[in-house]
Structures are given as C-alpha cells and as structure tokens.
C-alpha cells in the first residue's frame, strides 16, 4: 500500500493559510455550472464559418450555439471577444506514456534461422492499451496545443503490436478512462530483426508472404474442422495469426510505416496480393506515388517531423528577395554548393508533400510523427509550400477522426459533447494562440505569455515582501524574500505553516512574473503570478489549479528599493 496522499487543495492551504483556517473543512472549488463564449466565429472542419455566435457549454455538452443565444446567468463568461472556435486537433500518430516490459533474451540459445517471434519483432497480438500509464493530468501540454485525441502506435520492430485511440480527457484519473478504442490495426514495417531471420529487406518481404500464406492455411484448417471434425485435430490457437486473419478479412487496416516511394509501392503490392487494407504511416515520399495511392484508395498519415536545415538557409517570409546591381532577383540556387542544393530539394519535397497529395486527391492526415513535431507549426510550413488552409484543417480534424472511428470528436454542434478549441485568430496563423481547449466539456486554458517580455527591468525587487492573496477560499498571507539578478529573480516564500520556492522570476520593464512552488508529502502545488511593481508596491493576478484565479498585492518590508538607469 502506498503512502496516503493529501488532497492538493489542502497542500495549498497548509502552505499559505493561517493555522486557524486549517480547522475548517475545505473542498475543491466547484466548477462553474456552465461556460459561455460570446461573439465568436465557429469554423467547421469543411471550412464553413458561423460568425457572431454565442456558445454555451453545460454538463459536458454544447447546450446552445447561435447568434441569438442568451448568456445564462450561471455561466462563466470566458474572457475574449471575436475568438475562433475550431474542431479539436486529432493526431493520428501521436504519443503518450506507456511501459512495455522487455523480454530478456539469451541470444546464445537462439538459432538465427529459427528464432522465436518476439526476437523477430513479430508480435501483432500485443495491445499497447494494456501497457498505457498516462492519465489525464499528464496530457495538459497536448490540450494546451489544441490536441484533443490521438492514435498511438507501437514502433521499433517488424510488427510490434496494435495501437490504440485515446481522447485526452482532463479528469481521467486512470489510463483506461482515456481509451476510446483499445485496439486498432497492427503496426507493421520493413524493419528487419537484429542478427536473426528476417534481417534483410528481401527476407522481411518473404517473411510477410509466408505469414500471410500460413494465415490462409490456418483459416482453411479451421473451416474444415468446423464443417466436420471427424478424423481431424483441432488447429492450435495462434494469437498472432488470429490478428493477421482479421487483417486479411478486412476487419482492420494495417498501419504500415513507409517513407520512401519504393517502400510504399512494396506495401501496395503486398496489399494487392493478399487483399488487406494498408494505411501508410510517415509517407515522406508519398507524393512520388500519389497516383498509385489514389487508385488503391490508400490514406497516408503524413509526418510533420521535418528535419532542420543544415547547409541550406531558407529565406524567411519577411526577408526581401536577393537582387543584383540591376535590381534583378538573384536565383538562390546559383549561390549554393551541390550538398546545399540537394538538401534544399529534399526539404522542399517534404514541405510540399501534403499539398501535392491534396492536389492528387489522396486522403491524408497531418501528424506529429509520434510526438516529435508541433502539428500547427508543421502545417504552417506545408501551407507555405502549397497546401490550402482548408485542406490543412481537414487533415488535422475530420480526416484523422474518420480514419480512427471517432468522427463525433470533431463535430461542433448543439447537444454533442463539447470538444473543441478556441483560438484568438485563424488557426494556422503564426501569431495565433490557443486560448481554451474543451474536451467533453472540461476546460484547459492555453499557456499564458509572460507580460512585457524582452524589456529592460525598471525596478529591483530584491528584499522581503508581505503578500496578500484574495481568493474564493479566503485571504491568505505570506512573506516573500527574493534576490534579483538583472531581469531574473528567485527566492523563498514563508507562511506560518511552511516554506515554498520562488522560481522563474522575470522583470521586464515594470512587469513581474514568477511561480511559487509548495511541496508537502507527495503533493506539489504550482501557483503562477503576474503583475506590475513600482517602488515598494506590487500587485497583479494569479492562478492555481485548486483555487482558480485570484488577485494579489505585496508591499516591501525589508531591503533596498532602487531605480535602474536605462
């Protein structure tokens, strides 16, 4: 049995409150009865827009949505006018925490020509959902980026298992509560085994063909036994071949990792020969075989994990085209060596891959490439190289949701679950920030930028400060002692019940930002503060998970106050 855990709100109170207040019974602040957005633009996955909309979220659902909808008196009106509501982002090749135990292998006991399947990397029976460790609180960073759901596929072997589909529910206290579909089709690749058969590409393809033939033969044996078992031995159960049989019967697709055009063609040939449905994962060179993909109706999960340029330096959008003395635009290629030219061509092919697939009518989704890329940032690059914003929106919402069987997640309509994102501008604009993300009615606020970042500090905060926090749970006081070095500061905070740390302190002009961290037992509470300071006084607002937003004031009680010469 583990150690008893204090409720997080009690940790906060123990750290900040007067002893007399601790004798009272405290509970989590209740969530608002409803949330409301006013005068927003709702952008559907097909690009159609509804302007001037009021939207109300209650009991996990979109209660009402329209220009004439009244804001209920009991609803919390979210800050911001003229915001944009979009379907949430679905990452069809995402990542979360999971732990698959390693199988110990004594390779001296293994015949290289006849190894066990787990050494070959052929384990399609394995379910990633059985090894999931993440909970809702672990996924806050994804939600703050607008990602509301994802598929996660096992990697690193020939056929390492079957992936899962998750909805990033904030309140999921167990891993199981995240799972929308515990099993999707097996992950497959041309990755050979290490030091045993099949280790080469030729051997891997032969292995797949033999496996499909074995699956067909086993199916024939089962059918014959079911018709008349007399004189026959019941076929042995084979968990891996059972999954492959589902694949050949069309019950599930194969999520086949392939980047090079020739490898994609190999997947298509195997699929045509044995009749299974592939989904290409990665697809860096999918544009090269777009006509074949379209003819076969095979979708692509395009990775946005673009490599960083090393020798080629792309021109930024705000830079003018280089010109010669006559004012004519200079072709950059003339100034590049052969290596830089090859890199430029390779990267521009990657950037333009989604746009080319869209032009050819190939279904595709844009993904983080297993959690390695920021989807909106990668989509902006694809848009810069020919992908339309409408196609980009579909590729991060309705297309992946449809492929994964969670179409309802991207529908923003009354009476459906309130799962959507709220941005302060067009979704793919570089300056646009995600303000709010709703997943089934639960709110995750976007990351807030620290105010005034970049200005020289106009005040010195070094010294001791008496702070007062006005929250919905009462007034809390504490003493902060900080030391400033340039535009940064750190220190400690103390109340009668204990001490915390002041970290990430920044002073920019008169703007002040810092975080206070309290620990007690196994619990850690972080409280974000932002505000302004002048002379011996400071004030502002803050936020803590268990008490919500609050106002604070502080007065210096010890240490010098200095003005900085700028």
């Amino acid at each position: 049995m583990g150690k008893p855990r204090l409720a997080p709100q009690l940790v906060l109170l123990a750290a900040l409150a007067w002893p007399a207040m601790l004798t009272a019974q405290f509970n989590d602040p209740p969530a608002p009865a409803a949330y409301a957005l006013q005068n927003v633009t709702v952008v559907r996955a097909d690009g159609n827009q509804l302007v001037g909309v009021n939207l109300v979220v209650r009991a996990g659902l979109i209660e009402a949505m329209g220009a004439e909808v009244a804001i209920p008196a009991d609803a919390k009106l979210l800050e911001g006018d003229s915001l944009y509501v979009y379907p949430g982002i679905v990452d069809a090749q995402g990542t979360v925490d999971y732990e698959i135990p390693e199988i110990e292998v004594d390779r001296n006991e293994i015949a290289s020509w006849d190894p066990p399947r787990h050494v070959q990397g052929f384990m399609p029976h394995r379910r990633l959902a059985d090894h999931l460790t993440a909970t809702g609180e672990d996924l806050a960073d994804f939600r703050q980026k607008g990602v509301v759901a994802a598929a996660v596929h096992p990697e690193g072997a020939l056929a390492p298992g079957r992936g899962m589909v998750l909805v990033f529910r904030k309140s999921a206290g167990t891993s199981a509560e995240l799972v929308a579909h515990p099993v999707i089709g097996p992950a497959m690749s041309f990755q050979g085994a290490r030091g045993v058969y099949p280790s080469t590409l030729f051997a891997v393809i032969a292995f797949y063909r033999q496996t499909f033939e074995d699956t067909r033969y086993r199916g024939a044996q089962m059918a014959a036994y079911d018709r008349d078992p007399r004189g026959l031995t019941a076929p042995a159960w084979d968990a891996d071949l059972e999954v492959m049989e589902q694949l050949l019967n069309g019950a599930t697709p194969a999520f086949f990792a392939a980047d090079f055009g020739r490898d994609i063609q190999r997947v298509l040939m195997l699929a045509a020969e044995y009749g299974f449905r592939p989904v290409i994962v990665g697809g860096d060179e999918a544009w090269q075989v777009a006509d074949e993909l379209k003819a076969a109706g095979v979708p692509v999960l395009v990775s946005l994990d673009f490599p960083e340029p090393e020798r080629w330096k792309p021109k930024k959008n705000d830079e003018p085209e280089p010109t010669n003395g006559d004012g004519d635009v200079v072709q950059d290629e003339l100034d590049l060596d052969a290596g830089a030219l090859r890199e430029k061509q390779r990267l521009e092919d990657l950037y333009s891959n989604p746009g080319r697939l869209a032009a050819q009518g190939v279904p595709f989704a844009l993904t983080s490439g297993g959690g390695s890329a920021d989807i909106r940032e990668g989509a902006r690059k694809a848009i810069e190289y020919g992908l339309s914003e409408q196609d980009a929106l579909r590729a991060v919402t309705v297309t992946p949701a449809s492929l994964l069987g969670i179409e309802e997640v991207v529908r923003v309509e009354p009476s459906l679950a309130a799962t959507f994102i709220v941005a302060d501008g067009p979704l793919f604009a570089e300056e646009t920030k995600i303000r709010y993300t709703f997943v089934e009615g639960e709110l995750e606020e976007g990351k807030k930028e620290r105010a005034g970042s970049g200005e020289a500090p106009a005040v010195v905060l070094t010294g001791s400060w008496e702070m007062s926090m006005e929250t919905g749970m009462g007034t809390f006081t504490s003493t902060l002692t900080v030391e400033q070095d340039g535009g940064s500061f750190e220190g400690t905070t103390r109340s009668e019940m204990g001490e915390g740390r002041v970290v990430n302190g920044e002073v920019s002009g008169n703007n002040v930002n810092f975080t206070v961290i309290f620990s007690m037992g196994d619990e850690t509470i972080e409280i974000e503060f932002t505000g302004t300071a002048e002379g011996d006084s400071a004030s502002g607002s803050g936020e803590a998970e268990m008490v919500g937003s609050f106002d604070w004031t502080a007065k210096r009680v010890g240490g010098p106050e200095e003005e900085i010469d700028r």
Side-chain angles (χ1 to χ4, degrees), residues 244 345 460:
M244 302 308 283
Q345 185 62 58
V460 171

Side-chain angles (χ1 to χ4, degrees), residues 487-501:
S488 303
F489 66 91
E490 59 183 20
T492 59
T493 179
R494 181 181 294 275
S495 72
E496 293 190 14
M497 294 306 296
E499 188 172 285
R501 294 183 294 128

Side-chain angles (χ1 to χ4, degrees), residues 107 110-113 115 119 192-199:
R107 290 189 170 263
I110 295 173
S112 63
W113 62 89
V119 176
R194 183 170 59 88
V196 299
Y197 175 81
S199 59

Side-chain angles (χ1 to χ4, degrees), residues 228-248:
D228 187 353
R230 289 175 295 183
L232 300 176
T233 301
W237 179 64
D238 189 315
D240 291 320
L241 294 190
E242 187 173 275
V243 174
M244 302 308 283
E245 185 174 12
Q246 295 171 2
L247 189 65
L248 296 186

Side-chain angles (χ1 to χ4, degrees), residues 367-381:
T367 81
S368 69
S372 300
D374 182 286
I375 289 180
R376 287 203 302 140
E377 181 179 330
R380 281 195 293 271
K381 180 62 70 174

